Every structure is written in C-alpha cells, then in structure tokens.
Amino acid sequence: MGIRDRFSGFLARQVEKRGLIEDSLGGSVRLNGWFASDENILHSSDVYELLQDISNQIALAQVVVEDQETGKDITNHNILKVLRNPNNYLTGTEFMKLMVNTYLVEGEVYPFFTGKEIHIVSNVETELDNQLTEHFKINGTEIPSKMIRHIKNIGLNHLEGVGVKLLGKDTLEGVMSAEKVLTDKYRKGGILAFLLKLDAHINPKNGAQSLLINSILDQLEGIDDSRTIKLIPLGKGYEISDLKSPIDDSKNLSYLNVYKKDLGKFLNIDVDTYRSMLKTDLEKAMMYLYNKSVKPIMQNFEDHLSLLFFGPNSNLRLKFKVNILDFVTYSTKTNIAYNLVRTMITTPDDSREMLGFDRLFTEESMKLYISKDLIAGEDINKATDDSLKGGDDGGQAKGDSDA
C-alpha cells in the first residue's frame, strides 16, 4: 500500500511541476498565452506568406551600381561582389531576405559594413547628440556611423521605425492563438476533457481522495495521441464522463477569416485583392505587390546602402532592378519577344535571353529588326530603295529619269 501511495504521489507531483493544475481540488488550469515576438511571429501563415512574396521579389532583383553622371550601369563593381557573398555564413539571397524580413517585422534593420563584409546586426542602441548626429552602440561599444546604417520603416518617429510586430501586435496575437488552438486540437485527434463525479463530498483533507484525483488527472493528461487508451480503475462512488470540448471550430474559423486579412494591411497589401489577382493573372498580382510594397522598400534600401557603400558625396548609387517578366507565363514571354523584335525595340539575342536561350552573338542576331519582313533597322533605307527599284512604277521612273 505504501509503494502505491508513493507512486501516486509522484505522479501528482509531476503534474503539478508541469503547471497543469494549481490545486487538485477545485484548482484552475493554466492556459499558455501567445505574444508577438521574434521567435513566433512567423508562425502566422499569412504573415509568413506575404513576407516571403515581398522578400523573394527583392532577393531576385538584379543589383547594379549606377553612375548618375553618365546614367550607365556598372555591373562589375566590387560592391556587387560583396552583396553576392556578404559574409561567411550568409549567401547574397539569404542576406537580402533577412534584411527585408527584419525591416518588415521589426520596423528597422541595421546593415553593418566592415569594408570587406556586410552583416545585419541586432541589439543596437541609437541616440542623437546635440548636433543631431546619430550614434550607434552594440553592447556598450560605439560603432562608427560611416560603417552602419539605420534603415527605418518610417512612421511618426524620426529615430525609430514601425513594423508588423508593433503595428499588428493585437491582431497577430489573436490570430496566432486561434491558429494554435485549432492546430493542437487536430494534432491530438481532438481535445479530450473529462468530468470526475463523486458520490461523496470532496474533502481537501482527505489524503487518499486527493491522491486518487491527482492520479486520474495525471493519467488523463498523459493522453497525447488519439490512438492512446488509458484504463483507469475506480472505486465505488467514482465515475468519469466526457465533457464537451469548449473549442468551437466554426467560431475560430470565422474569427480567422476576418482578422487574418487584416494582417496584410500592415504590409500595405489588401489580401483579398492580391489573392484574387494570383488566381487570375500572376503578372498583375506581382505588379500590384511591386507597386504597393516592394518598390518603396527598394527605394529606401537604395538610399541607405548607397550612403553606406559610397558616402554622401559620390555619384555612384546602388539600384535594384526587378524583372517583372519573371512572373509571366512562357507563352506570354514568347508573344512579347516576337512583338519586341517586330517593333524594333529588342534584338533577336535579347529575346532569346528572355526565353531562356543563350545569345548567338552573330551579326544578324544583334541587329534591331522592324516590320513583318524582319528588316534590320539600319538597312531600312536600302530595303525601301530596293523595293522601289523592283516595281513597274519604279522602273518607269528610272527610265524617265535617264531620259
């Protein structure tokens, strides 16, 4: 009997250690709350999806250095090599996505350039001195301002940006909690709740009764799989019956249908509009995302990174170039390429590259063509002259002229 009592007591203590019950007799169950933080904010599927769409567009953009005096792009500048291989733990794509996601979630991001590598740093303290110069400290160590930039998703504060974590905090916490409730319910095969009935009065001083109740609670809490079966022998006067789950799927889903759409507004996106476009026209959806969200972010990044890399007095500027044709169907690209060649805007080599083929670099493939006959632009005068010479009217005119 003593061994069984000690074992039951051990089970009861384990339940209490896990914080599952405050008091075995008439106590309360602790419910874990969710808070919008760096660790869990991406658990909301809608936030993650929108962040991925935005950061992917920017990560796929071509980055060039533009000489603002000549208007020409410099594609082999040393800074571009740094961005392609920023440091020894991130690729260029990973770095760009991290910078965008941090900017959107936190509202601000700190790129730090050592002269050879670029990093995203956290736990940065900023302050303005009397001369309105911004100073940066990391763990008490001051960082030269020329080596770091403070890129802000600007709101109404000149020193701090605002991100999803702050703007959508209440909505995010509600959505994440509702999602977690539904996920946990179906992951466990349904939430099982039980009601213990006793014929006798519950007496807190009844040690045997307390041990039995604690043991039953421990057994029931141990059901973490829908295939698990627990056999709980009960004495006379005890009965366990099912208690209907308080979780109402329809109410939770209705809540999510309303508030998950609201998360998009904190990223400057109307979720309904965006998703309807994705179903019917991918190009329109990507252009909508580009104009509403991506383009302003890239403009801000260009401003800050240009100052970080080249300083305030340089004519060089970093530029992000998104190729929207990456988001159209192949048949659409074929039609675009064909029409661009016919209208003397694109060479055959340009169109070949657009469709995924290698350039030929031949004399003919690098010429601009016009009209259905695909006449090289520089040969149009000659072609017109030949056409006039070949006709009856042209021959007559030539004869009259000779005469």
Side-chain angles (χ1 to χ4, degrees):
M1 187 69 178
I3 295 176
R4 185 171 62 185
D5 288 344
R6 285 197 295 272
F7 184 68
S8 297
F10 169 76
L11 293 177
R13 286 193 297 273
Q14 294 306 306
V15 173
E16 290 176 350
K17 284 180 182 178
R18 291 199 297 270
L20 298 172
I21 55 174
E22 298 275 355
D23 186 337
S24 61
L25 303 177
S28 60
V29 178
R30 295 174 186 165
L31 298 177
N32 292 325
W34 271 50
F35 304 96
S37 66
D38 295 344
E39 291 76 20
N40 63 24
I41 198 167
L42 295 185
H43 289 189
S44 172
S45 56
D46 280 46
V47 172
Y48 183 77
E49 180 187 21
L50 290 174
L51 285 178
Q52 286 292 89
D53 287 350
I54 293 170
S55 61
N56 281 342
Q57 266 207 31
I58 297 177
L60 290 172
Q62 180 189 11
V63 184
V64 299
V65 175
E66 180 184 77
D67 188 334
Q68 293 186 306
E69 279 190 350
T70 63
K72 293 183 178 180
D73 294 340
I74 305 171
T75 57
N76 60 348
H77 196 283
N78 184 60
I79 287 300
L80 301 179
K81 296 179 183 177
V82 173
L83 288 174
R84 286 193 293 269
N85 186 24
N87 49 59
N88 61 3
Y89 55 90
L90 289 174
T91 66
T93 302
E94 290 169 342
F95 174 84
M96 200 61 68
K97 285 177 67 66
L98 176 63
M99 185 163 62
V100 176
N101 290 339
T102 304
Y103 173 83
L104 291 173
V105 172
E106 295 286 345
E108 53 194 16
V109 64
Y110 296 89
F112 172 67
F113 183 47
T114 66
K116 293 182 179 179
E117 293 184 342
I118 184 168
H119 306 265
I120 300 296
V121 292
S122 57
N123 299 321
V124 181
E125 300 174 13
T126 61
E127 62 178 13
L128 290 178
D129 62 18
N130 294 332
Q131 285 73 42
L132 299 181
T133 300
E134 190 171 16
H135 293 267
F136 305 89
K137 288 184 179 180
I138 301 177
N139 297 326
T141 303
E142 186 156 354
I143 306 298
S145 58
K146 66 179 181 180
M147 299 177 68
I148 192 170
R149 293 299 303 181
H150 184 186
I151 307 179
K152 301 174 287 293
N153 184 19
I154 207 71
L156 296 177
N157 190 317
H158 63 281
L159 195 56
E160 296 178 355
V162 287
V164 173
K165 191 167 73 173
L166 178 62
L167 291 172
K169 180 181 178 182
D170 293 339
T171 304
L172 272 168
E173 288 174 0
V175 167
M176 289 190 297
S177 294
E179 284 183 332
K180 186 176 187 299
V181 166
L182 288 175
T183 301
D184 285 350
K185 177 177 179 179
Y186 290 101
R187 185 179 63 194
K188 294 180 179 180
I191 289 181
L192 298 176
F194 299 90
L195 186 64
L196 176 64
K197 298 179 181 178
L198 295 126
D199 288 342
H201 291 293
I202 297 177
N203 184 356
K205 294 182 179 180
N206 188 330
Q209 191 182 61
S210 297
L211 285 172
L212 178 61
I213 292 173
N214 282 332
S215 298
I216 292 171
L217 288 172
D218 190 71
Q219 287 280 321
L220 295 176
E221 186 59 38
I223 300 176
D224 57 1
D225 192 296
S226 60
R227 294 166 295 180
T228 300
I229 297 175
K230 294 285 185 181
L231 182 62
I232 304 176
L234 295 175
K236 185 178 179 181
Y238 292 88
E239 179 186 348
I240 293 181
S241 60
D242 292 342
L243 181 68
K244 185 179 178 182
S245 170
I247 296 173
D248 189 330
D249 291 359
S250 60
K251 289 182 179 179
N252 276 314
L253 290 172
S254 297
Y255 175 87
L256 290 173
N257 286 335
V258 172
Y259 286 100
K260 286 187 80 169
K261 297 173 185 177
D262 278 355
L263 297 177
K265 70 186 180 185
F266 302 116
L267 298 171
N268 205 29
I269 298 294
D270 183 286
V271 175
D272 282 340
T273 301
Y274 180 55
R275 285 184 173 165
S276 63
M277 286 181 176
L278 283 175
K279 293 177 182 177
T280 57
D281 193 322
L282 182 61
E283 184 183 7
K284 283 184 179 179
M286 291 300 104
M287 284 301 298
Y288 173 79
L289 185 70
Y290 174 78
N291 287 317
K292 287 283 289 178
S293 189
V294 172
K295 190 175 180 180
I297 296 172
M298 291 199 306
Q299 174 76 31
N300 202 10
F301 282 9
E302 288 173 2
D303 293 343
H304 279 278
L305 293 178
S306 296
L307 290 169
L308 179 64
F309 292 138
F310 309 121
N313 301 318
S314 175
N315 292 317
L316 300 180
R317 179 181 173 84
L318 209 67
K319 297 286 289 185
F320 289 80
K321 295 188 175 182
V322 171
N323 185 7
I324 291 299
L325 290 177
D326 287 340
F327 306 109
V328 303
T329 62
Y330 194 79
S331 59
T332 302
K333 284 185 179 181
T334 304
N335 290 332
I336 292 172
Y338 176 69
N339 289 324
L340 288 179
V341 171
R342 285 171 57 85
T343 53
M344 203 174 69
I345 296 175
T346 302
T347 70
D349 266 359
D350 294 333
S351 296
R352 283 179 61 86
E353 186 175 52
M354 182 193 307
L355 297 174
F357 300 108
D358 293 332
R359 289 174 176 265
L360 297 176
F361 295 108
T362 64
E363 183 180 352
E364 292 300 318
S365 70
M366 292 188 289
K367 288 182 179 179
L368 289 169
Y369 288 88
I370 191 169
S371 184
K372 63 182 180 181
D373 298 316
L374 296 182
I375 302 165
E378 55 266 40
D379 296 335
I380 190 167
N381 290 332
K382 179 176 178 296
T384 304
D385 292 341
D386 289 344
S387 177
L388 291 174
K389 291 176 183 178
D392 294 337
D393 293 340
Q396 182 63 41
K398 183 177 185 299
D400 293 343
S401 176
D402 289 341

